[in-house]
Amino acid sequence: MSATLETPLEAPRSQNPKLLTLLLKDKVATLAALVLCFVFLTAVFGPMLVAEQAREQNLLNANAEPFTLDGGWLNFLGTDPLGRSVLARLIVASRTTLSVAVPAVLLSLVIGSLIGMWAGYHRGRRETVVMRIADIILSFPSLLMAVVVLYIFSPSSANLVLVLAITRIPIYLRTARAESAELQSRLFVDAARTFGTKPTAIIFRHVLPIILPTLLTVATLDFCFVMLSESSLSFLGIGIQPPSVSWGLMVAQGRTYLQTAWWLSFFPGLAIVITTVSATVLASWARLATDPAQRWRLTLPRHKRGRKEVK
Amino acid sequence: MTGFLRRRAVTSLLPLIAVLLGVFFLARLTGDPANLYLPVSATPEQRQNFIEANGLDDSIWVQMWDYLGGVLTLDFGDSLRTGESAAAMALRAFPATLQLAFSTMLIAVVGAVVIGSWAAYRPNSVADRISSFLSMTAASVPDFWFAIVGVWIFAVSLGWLPTSGVTGGMASWVLPVATLVIRPLGVLTQVVRGAMVSALSAPYVRLARSKGAGDLRVVTHHALRNAAAPALTVAGDLMVGLINGAVVVETIFGWPGIGKLMIDSILGRDFAVLQACVLLTAVSIFVLNILIDIGYALLDARVREKVSA
């Protein structure tokens, strides 16, 4: 982690194309990035195209088997007990799923990093208080907290985002605090301080650019966690509520029909797995790519890279 | 040792107090606790009776005092659905969850130690591949989906295992434990592997080797002992997750544990039982954290010295 500290002096303009070429060299990471792009594009544009079809019922064609084109390409992944296309519902659900996961990740990323950097920069009592609060949140399992809060407040999308964001704030808070506590004793921060730069300016101009890559990597990985939490809560019936539909909720709804229509639960779960695996792969690539001490590994073919970490 | 324990107990007491007060104030935040305790269909007279019987017209501090007294005497009120004492229901469900959690953890620890140290010993071997596959699965496969696919394949299609319940003897344990074990196994394997990689390149291992210790002895006697401390910390966190995270698995497999009780009481709007469950898990996490600290002190000589000093 400390190895990232020397990079930010490079102009960001020259670094981005380099990262892109580095990404294209790694086939697996490229694929993961493409899959994630595809999922995001589907979530943004897909519902406009198939919203109608996702609601349309056709009881004559209920629980149709997948992998045949008899019922048209939209029924390629089968239909549900009301004859609605599973594929169309998956596409509509992708928006709900991401519209909870993405805001939750962004919210916890922004709040956690800001408080973390502030606490790490100032040290002292502010740091202790903030870290204690983070400890309390962390020592209490997030699923349990979500269960209680969503019981008391109604399980709406906004509440779901809020609960998930609060439970994930400590992750960024700890990372940002540790790095900024280390940075604030560095020479260039000292220099900035000597010239009379205000703490806020130092945090944004000198500390943030350096720890941003680490924070973004953590966020990519955390995206999986948040998505899985949302799915679990929806699955348990305290997350997304019908008639809205998310991938986790689709798995739950299909569970009753496991004996007759396995595809109802299988495909939404598969969609979750594909998305989270892609995010995990991309996160582990990003961890290497943003670390100058390890970046050279990415220029090697994957099988020669070795997995032994430099500690 | 007692001083150390006392300090640690005070630190881990904080979350417990936070939960205690959190539950109380969350219940008040929604306005009328009668809304939480009573079913949606309760009549205004029932509400009025409930408010008077439970002292909800007293001042908030009196109410908090009563609440804390109730918690200390394990009196959370009665369940709406069964009329039974909420604490008794939670305590009865708890052993089922603990059994599930402990057997899962046992398998995860044994598996992680074997695969993790093997992977560290032979980088890029089969075990190394398995370990990275496991950690990938742990981070990305939703447990409820894994459970459902497991039920579909092994219970519905093949008919080898029961779909749910605890009456099927050993067979009924297979799917719940297999589902629960993914996450701890994946995470722990990675931790053991990482700790073993650094332990195996440490000077004391080279010394042991130069004095003629065999491969197996080096791994089990020298490296593993030193790699155990970080693994223990993570295992403790995972155990906490298991006690609570069993919610999903217990719901799917109809396991009569605390997680299922919690979800059932949520769906039945049975706040007294939910409260008893939440506080019981919070207390068990508190106890577990202290046990982890003791284990940590016993394992690591450096911590042990600090403790006795």
Side-chain angles (χ1 to χ4, degrees), chain B residues 134-206:
Chain B
L134 282 178
S135 69
M136 171 73 87
T137 321
S140 48
V141 176
D143 46 3
F144 58 89
W145 185 68
F146 185 90
I148 282 182
V149 172
V151 168
W152 168 46
I153 294 176
F154 292 105
V156 175
S157 302
L158 297 171
W160 291 352
L161 300 168
T163 48
S164 66
V166 273
T167 47
M170 280 310 282
S172 58
W173 286 71
V174 176
L175 281 177
V177 170
T179 311
L180 276 178
V181 90
I182 316 173
R183 212 183 115 64
L185 183 63
V187 176
L188 263 185
T189 307
Q190 215 54 22
V191 172
V192 171
R193 185 187 155 277
M196 283 297 277
V197 164
S198 47
L200 281 172
S201 58
Y204 53 80
V205 165
R206 249 176 290 152

Side-chain angles (χ1 to χ4, degrees), chain A residues 84 120 171 200 277 288:
Chain A
R84 294 173 294 191
I171 310 288
T200 341
V277 164
L288 283 185

Side-chain angles (χ1 to χ4, degrees), chain B residues 221-243:
Chain B
H221 278 70
H222 298 274
L224 207 51
R225 285 197 183 181
N226 287 286
L232 181 78
T233 321
V234 178
D237 284 347
L238 289 168
M239 188 73 193
V240 170
L242 273 182
I243 291 182

Side-chain angles (χ1 to χ4, degrees), chain A residues 132 135-136 139-141 143-144 147-149 151-153 221 224-225 228 231-233 235-238 247-249 251-252 254-255 258-260 262-263 265-270 272-274 276-277 280-281 303-309 311, chain B residues 11 14-15 18-19 23 26-27 29-30 36 124 128 131-132 136 138-145 148-149 151-152 156 183 190 193-194 197-198 201 240-241 244-245 247-248 251-252 262-263 265-267 269-271 274 278 281-282 285 289:
Chain A
R132 247 317 89 77
D135 281 345
I136 293 178
S139 66
F140 200 61
L143 193 63
L144 190 60
V147 162
V148 177
V149 172
Y151 171 84
I152 293 173
F153 303 101
L221 206 57
C224 299
F225 186 91
L228 291 183
S231 311
S232 304
L233 289 171
F235 177 82
L236 291 171
I238 43 179
W247 287 340
L249 188 61
V251 177
R255 199 179 134 213
L258 205 55
Q259 293 187 340
T260 46
W262 55 269
W263 53 91
S265 293
F266 185 80
F267 291 123
L270 197 64
I272 299 175
V273 173
I274 290 173
T276 47
V277 164
T280 318
V281 169
H303 60 95
K304 279 195 189 154
R305 212 175 278 163
R307 298 187 51 246
K308 195 171 172 185
E309 289 137 20
K311 288 242 165 174
Chain B
T11 339
L14 267 177
V19 172
V23 167
L26 277 178
L29 264 184
T30 49
L36 285 175
N124 286 325
D128 205 1
S131 99
S132 54
M136 171 73 87
S140 48
V141 176
D143 46 3
F144 58 89
W145 185 68
I148 282 182
V149 172
V151 168
W152 168 46
V156 175
R183 212 183 115 64
Q190 215 54 22
R193 185 187 155 277
V197 164
S198 47
S201 58
V240 170
N244 295 278
V247 175
V248 170
T251 314
I252 292 178
M262 223 185 281
I263 285 301
S265 39
I266 283 184
L267 300 180
R269 297 207 62 82
D270 199 347
F271 190 72
L274 178 69
V278 167
T281 27
I285 291 168
N289 276 333

Side-chain angles (χ1 to χ4, degrees), chain A residues 276-290:
Chain A
T276 47
V277 164
S278 304
T280 318
V281 169
L282 200 64
S284 67
W285 174 85
R287 191 164 24 218
L288 283 185
T290 53

Side-chain angles (χ1 to χ4, degrees), chain B:
Chain B
M1 187 82 190
T2 46
F4 167 77
L5 272 185
R6 205 180 317 126
R7 268 198 310 278
R8 292 298 307 170
V10 170
T11 339
S12 14
L13 205 59
L14 267 177
L16 191 62
I17 295 171
V19 172
L20 264 176
L21 296 180
V23 167
F24 176 78
F25 282 110
L26 277 178
R28 287 342 182 246
L29 264 184
T30 49
D32 190 358
N35 289 335
L36 285 175
Y37 283 91
L38 293 178
V40 186
S41 56
T43 60
E45 292 97 74
Q46 281 173 326
R47 271 169 209 281
Q48 199 49 47
N49 286 341
F50 177 83
I51 287 174
E52 275 162 20
N54 289 284
L56 292 177
D57 39 6
D58 292 338
S59 84
I60 189 116
W61 301 112
V62 174
Q63 284 185 41
M64 193 161 96
W65 190 248
D66 287 346
Y67 161 76
L68 290 176
V71 169
L72 285 180
T73 53
L74 283 182
D75 178 18
F76 298 100
D78 296 336
S79 160
L80 272 180
R81 291 173 301 155
T82 60
E84 216 180 328
S85 140
M89 281 174 80
L91 282 173
R92 199 175 46 224
F94 204 44
T97 300
L98 282 185
Q99 285 167 358
L100 205 56
F102 274 112
S103 31
T104 305
M105 210 57 210
L106 189 69
I107 295 174
V109 167
V110 172
V113 164
V114 172
I115 301 171
S117 19
W118 188 10
Y121 198 70
R122 297 231 178 288
N124 286 325
S125 68
V126 184
D128 205 1
R129 298 270 150 77
I130 295 177
S131 99
S132 54
F133 174 76
L134 282 178
S135 69
M136 171 73 87
T137 321
S140 48
V141 176
D143 46 3
F144 58 89
W145 185 68
F146 185 90
I148 282 182
V149 172
V151 168
W152 168 46
I153 294 176
F154 292 105
V156 175
S157 302
L158 297 171
W160 291 352
L161 300 168
T163 48
S164 66
V166 273
T167 47
M170 280 310 282
S172 58
W173 286 71
V174 176
L175 281 177
V177 170
T179 311
L180 276 178
V181 90
I182 316 173
R183 212 183 115 64
L185 183 63
V187 176
L188 263 185
T189 307
Q190 215 54 22
V191 172
V192 171
R193 185 187 155 277
M196 283 297 277
V197 164
S198 47
L200 281 172
S201 58
Y204 53 80
V205 165
R206 249 176 290 152
L207 176 72
R209 265 194 232 276
S210 66
K211 286 169 86 178
D215 280 355
L216 194 67
R217 196 182 158 78
V218 165
V219 169
T220 55
H221 278 70
H222 298 274
L224 207 51
R225 285 197 183 181
N226 287 286
L232 181 78
T233 321
V234 178
D237 284 347
L238 289 168
M239 188 73 193
V240 170
L242 273 182
I243 291 182
N244 295 278
V247 175
V248 170
V249 169
E250 284 177 6
T251 314
I252 292 178
F253 293 104
W255 201 266
I258 198 126
K260 184 162 190 317
L261 187 62
M262 223 185 281
I263 285 301
D264 286 347
S265 39
I266 283 184
L267 300 180
R269 297 207 62 82
D270 199 347
F271 190 72
V273 178
L274 178 69
Q275 198 186 347
C277 292
V278 167
L279 289 178
L280 185 62
T281 27
V283 169
S284 60
I285 291 168
F286 168 71
V287 173
L288 195 66
N289 276 333
I290 290 179
L291 287 180
I292 294 166
D293 284 329
I294 296 178
Y296 205 73
L298 291 179
L299 257 179
D300 194 326
R302 282 163 299 185
V303 181
R304 198 159 53 220
E305 253 166 41
K306 234 193 263 169
V307 168
S308 48

